[in-house]
Amino acid sequence: MKKIVFILILLFCSASHSYAQKTLAEVLKKYNTESIPYITVNKLKATDSTIVLLDAREKNEFKVSHLKNALFVGYEKFDIQKTIKKLPQKDAKIIVYCSLGVRSEDIAEQLKSNGYTNVYNLFGGIFEWKNEGNKVFTKGVETNKVHAYSKEWGVWLLKGEKVYE
């Protein structure tokens, strides 16, 4: 009987552990290859050089809010040729972001494979940007709203008003 109770406790603990909240770093490690270097929110804020910000989310997400001066490039319908026309020289500092940093890595990889040499992925994306108290905008006006992408991913947005539409 003790053996059965022990096995049940062990199974319960294992199941509970597998559903435990992971860190953002663990989530990104699961989905990303880290072929593109990350830039943290703090390093992005401290950047004094000219940068190009690319938003790799969908149009409905971008319309809710985005980082100031970010260019929408999308994800599902991303067009590398259209994007290249918007970009300066190939060594320009380009930072790609999405909700957390998964889709943005895919877009950054395409830029890298097209000869762009100074491309970064924003660690934690717009969620981490907002979580650290930074401003987001819609049509040039500051807003508190952030598209949370999905209920699953929305758990990582800790500040701001979550929008799911």
Side-chain angles (χ1 to χ4, degrees):
M1 181 69 170
K2 286 183 181 181
K3 202 175 205 180
I4 292 173
V5 171
F6 175 75
I7 291 172
L8 288 173
I9 290 171
L10 185 63
L11 286 172
F12 176 77
C13 290
S14 296
S16 297
H17 179 67
S18 67
Y19 292 110
Q21 189 73 15
K22 295 182 177 198
T23 67
L24 179 56
E26 290 172 316
V27 170
L28 291 175
K29 194 152 195 75
K30 177 180 177 183
Y31 292 100
N32 286 352
T33 63
E34 298 183 11
S35 60
I36 303 296
Y38 286 115
I39 186 169
T40 64
V41 167
N42 287 334
K43 284 189 180 178
L44 173 56
K45 286 173 50 178
T47 300
D48 57 359
S49 61
T50 303
I51 60 166
V52 178
L53 280 171
L54 300 181
D55 190 314
R57 300 174 301 148
E58 297 305 322
K59 193 68 164 181
N60 63 323
E61 295 171 87
F62 182 83
K63 285 181 178 179
V64 171
S65 64
H66 50 271
L67 276 59
K68 190 171 190 172
N69 299 322
L71 300 173
F72 169 76
V73 295
Y75 182 74
E76 288 296 326
K77 295 180 181 177
F78 176 72
D79 185 326
I80 188 68
Q81 296 308 317
K82 282 184 183 178
T83 301
I84 287 172
K85 290 176 184 175
K86 299 177 186 178
L87 299 177
Q89 65 278 5
K90 297 221 175 189
D91 65 345
K93 188 168 190 174
I94 300 170
I95 298 163
V96 188
Y97 74 91
C98 61
S99 297
L100 282 177
V102 176
R103 294 176 285 176
S104 51
E105 183 184 67
D106 294 343
I107 299 305
E109 286 172 343
Q110 290 187 52
L111 291 167
K112 185 178 173 183
S113 69
N114 276 273
Y116 288 86
T117 59
N118 203 7
V119 182
Y120 297 86
N121 185 8
L122 181 59
F123 183 88
I126 194 171
F127 290 3
E128 193 67 11
W129 179 262
K130 187 66 178 164
N131 288 344
E132 293 195 19
N134 297 296
K135 296 177 182 179
V136 293
F137 297 85
T138 184
K139 298 180 183 175
V141 178
E142 185 181 347
T143 183
N144 197 39
K145 295 179 179 182
V146 178
H147 197 289
Y149 185 68
S150 70
K151 300 283 183 186
E152 178 185 0
W153 294 108
V155 299
W156 296 102
L157 179 61
L158 307 175
K159 293 186 179 176
E161 181 184 335
K162 295 177 186 180
V163 174
Y164 291 100
E165 39 190 65

